[in-house]
Amino acid sequence: ILKSMAQTESPILLIGETGTGKEIFAHAVHLASSRRDGPFVAINVAAMPENLLESELFGYEEGAFTGAKKGGRPGLFLFLDEVEGMSMAMQVKLLRVLQEREIMRVGGNQIINVSVRIVAATNESLEERVENGSFRRDLYYRLSTLPVLIPPLREREGDIQLLLEHFRRCAGGEFSLSTEVRQLLFRYSWPGNIRGLQN
């Protein structure tokens, strides 16, 4: 499904619990898209201060703030993780990018046309946030043009053995699982999903 979606330029919204591999899926979309040779930038929206987020997303003019690189820098973005944590002010700016394909750099006074592909991810119900007024309805509809629900690991029992084998190879380890341990792994609810299994 994601390979097909990658061929379009429409925004993709990855929906899934923490640890289901949303960023890995975003990388896969990037590699399958016509933008595969361009940069892939992942930003955890909820963890970044708003002023820093704005400069990361939209770039900035030289001298816009202390520490700004000489000559400024272009705004680069592709994957916006935990998009539910974005402030209302940033939601308005992102909506303009999606609607008009225009940005204004931090400290700048010119409108710049941009070509951008956005993949966003959330581990919360954006519909509920829209209903309680903490997420803009118009932005939700823009971001969820192509929604993809990534099921939790407890609903993907067949993946557990494949993932264990992959993690074993990556770690260079040698181990085998008894029948009892294998059954225990399959019965476990995996609240940390794939990340929990790996750890």
Side-chain angles (χ1 to χ4, degrees):
I1 292 169
L2 281 169
K3 279 183 179 177
S4 298
M5 291 179 173
Q7 305 310 308
T8 74
E9 285 293 302
S10 298
I12 293 175
L13 179 64
L14 302 173
I15 306 159
E17 295 177 8
T18 297
T20 51
K22 295 184 290 295
E23 185 166 349
I24 291 171
F25 282 110
H27 273 284
V29 169
H30 179 55
L31 292 174
S33 76
S34 60
R35 297 172 184 264
R36 69 181 66 83
D37 296 326
F40 176 91
V41 178
I43 298 174
N44 185 314
V45 176
M48 189 173 283
E50 185 175 325
N51 56 345
L52 185 57
L53 176 62
E54 186 175 6
S55 66
E56 282 296 311
L57 291 179
F58 307 120
Y60 51 80
E61 295 296 321
E62 181 181 349
F65 54 86
T66 304
K69 295 178 184 173
K70 185 168 177 57
R73 56 161 288 192
L76 304 171
F77 61 96
L78 177 65
F79 178 55
L80 303 179
D81 198 8
E82 296 188 35
V83 73
E84 71 278 358
M86 186 177 285
S87 73
M88 283 303 225
M90 285 306 301
Q91 288 179 41
V92 170
K93 291 179 180 182
L94 181 59
L95 182 64
R96 180 170 181 82
V97 172
L98 288 167
Q99 286 180 330
E100 309 298 334
R101 302 290 179 178
E102 294 177 344
I103 64 166
M104 184 179 294
R105 287 180 173 177
V106 175
N109 57 9
Q110 290 183 330
I111 298 293
I112 301 169
N113 292 322
V114 292
S115 172
V116 62
R117 173 71 184 273
I118 294 177
V119 177
T122 183
N123 57 25
E124 294 187 21
S125 169
L126 287 185
E127 292 94 339
E128 287 180 16
R129 286 190 166 256
V130 167
E131 290 306 314
N132 71 28
S134 62
F135 202 87
R136 291 182 61 102
R137 185 178 302 275
D138 45 8
L139 179 58
Y140 167 69
Y141 287 125
R142 288 286 182 177
L143 288 176
S144 63
T145 304
L146 297 173
V148 177
L149 180 62
I150 302 172
L153 188 56
R154 64 184 169 276
E155 295 175 13
R156 297 157 51 188
E157 182 180 293
D159 289 353
I160 293 174
Q161 183 61 44
L162 293 170
L163 289 164
L164 279 172
E165 179 58 26
H166 170 73
F167 295 143
R168 183 195 63 76
R169 281 195 315 270
C170 290
E174 288 296 330
F175 61 84
S176 60
L177 302 177
S178 67
T179 302
E180 292 82 7
V181 170
R182 195 179 302 277
Q183 289 173 349
L184 179 69
L185 292 176
F186 290 152
R187 285 197 306 265
Y188 187 60
S189 64
W190 296 109
N193 289 293
I194 296 168
R195 190 179 298 123
L197 176 63
Q198 182 177 17
N199 292 338

